[in-house]
Amino acid sequence: MTATGVRADARIVARADGRGGTALPVLDSDGPLALRRTRSSGTEAKVMVVGAMSGPLGGDRFTLTARVEEGARLHVGSAAATLALPGQTKGEARYDVRLDVADGAELNWLPEQLISARGSDLHVTTRAELGAAARLVLREEQVLGRSGEDPGRLTSRLTVRVAGRTVLDQELSYGPGAPGGWDGPAVLAGHRAVGQLVVVRPEFADRPVGARMVGECAALIPLAGPAVLVSAVAPDALRLRRVLDGALAGLG
């Protein structure tokens, strides 16, 4: 910890073990980002992110990097929701996620929700770089405020690139200081849970998925590449998860 907040840099590297499974030669935890390997499922290695302390708080800087090498399969989840809180240090907190998935590799990035508590100020960036034949399932869920609470300031940027080509680059901003209309009828319409699901599969290049509604407040949108985006809003985290899980199941 420093006078300007906590710095944490955690890393995961997944590599094919030559026996049909996936090894984790690098599993480096740091500060509040504790990484734990859990029981594998078939050829897939599983890692759980366990929060070792509260945060991110104002002034904190967290970085989580995962690289999945050719032939490896990795599933990353989290033990609990991430709670963004105000801290004694003024200024925004940052949480940067960097994902690198090689040709012939697969990553399922499925953390629990991010909750933006009143008074917090968090900027999240997630950047995924994929090879042309890589596979990805990436879920992001944000809950704006705890029960009966106004949200803090939350900015989230999500970028996905396949074979060096950008297929998605979007930024969302909510809470005090966000551009006007973020809680209006054209954006959240009174809802307080918002989520994105990105699915990248090489077969989408030959068999594109058509745009469609996947719920009352959710839509599946084909991207300019072998990928689709599901965007959804819901009254609460539970109903948001049901919508995103249903959309993923519908893709097979």
Side-chain angles (χ1 to χ4, degrees), residues 10-50:
R11 298 187 303 134
I12 307 168
V13 175
R15 182 175 297 158
D17 63 8
R19 303 186 301 275
T22 298
L24 297 173
V26 178
L27 194 63
D28 289 344
S29 303
D30 189 15
L33 299 176
L35 306 176
R36 301 288 183 264
R37 180 164 190 166
T38 60
R39 186 181 297 275
S40 299
S41 175
T43 62
E44 183 181 62
K46 292 188 175 182
V47 173
M48 193 71 68
V49 182
V50 180

Side-chain angles (χ1 to χ4, degrees), residues 88-243:
Q88 293 181 345
T89 301
K90 293 184 178 180
E92 71 173 12
R94 294 193 64 93
Y95 197 151
D96 298 320
V97 175
R98 298 291 178 263
L99 310 174
D100 187 352
V101 189
D103 277 339
E106 180 177 339
L107 173 61
N108 291 294
W109 190 265
L110 300 169
E112 294 301 310
Q113 299 90 356
L114 168 63
I115 302 172
S116 174
R118 182 172 55 195
S120 64
D121 186 356
L122 176 63
H123 191 113
V124 180
T125 63
T126 302
R127 185 178 181 89
E129 291 278 354
L130 282 71
R135 302 173 72 86
L136 173 71
V137 175
L138 183 153
R139 183 183 68 212
E140 286 192 344
E141 298 169 315
Q142 294 99 21
V143 178
L144 306 180
R146 292 168 290 192
S147 180
E149 177 185 66
D150 291 333
R153 173 70 183 271
L154 175 62
T155 302
S156 174
R157 183 166 184 175
L158 173 60
T159 305
V160 179
R161 290 166 50 86
V162 179
R165 179 184 179 187
T166 300
V167 299
L168 176 67
D169 190 358
Q170 70 172 22
E171 184 171 284
L172 307 174
S173 188
Y174 311 103
W182 66 269
D183 56 350
V187 184
L188 293 181
H191 295 93
R192 282 296 178 265
V194 58
Q196 295 76 235
L197 178 74
V198 180
V199 181
V200 180
R201 295 176 180 166
E203 58 266 30
F204 287 165
D206 298 322
R207 299 189 299 276
V209 178
R212 61 178 182 266
M213 297 297 294
V214 291
E216 182 179 355
C217 297
L220 185 151
I221 306 159
L223 300 176
V228 299
L229 168 70
V230 178
S231 290
V233 296
D236 54 53
L238 179 60
R239 279 177 276 192
L240 177 66
R241 177 67 58 84
R242 288 174 178 167
V243 169

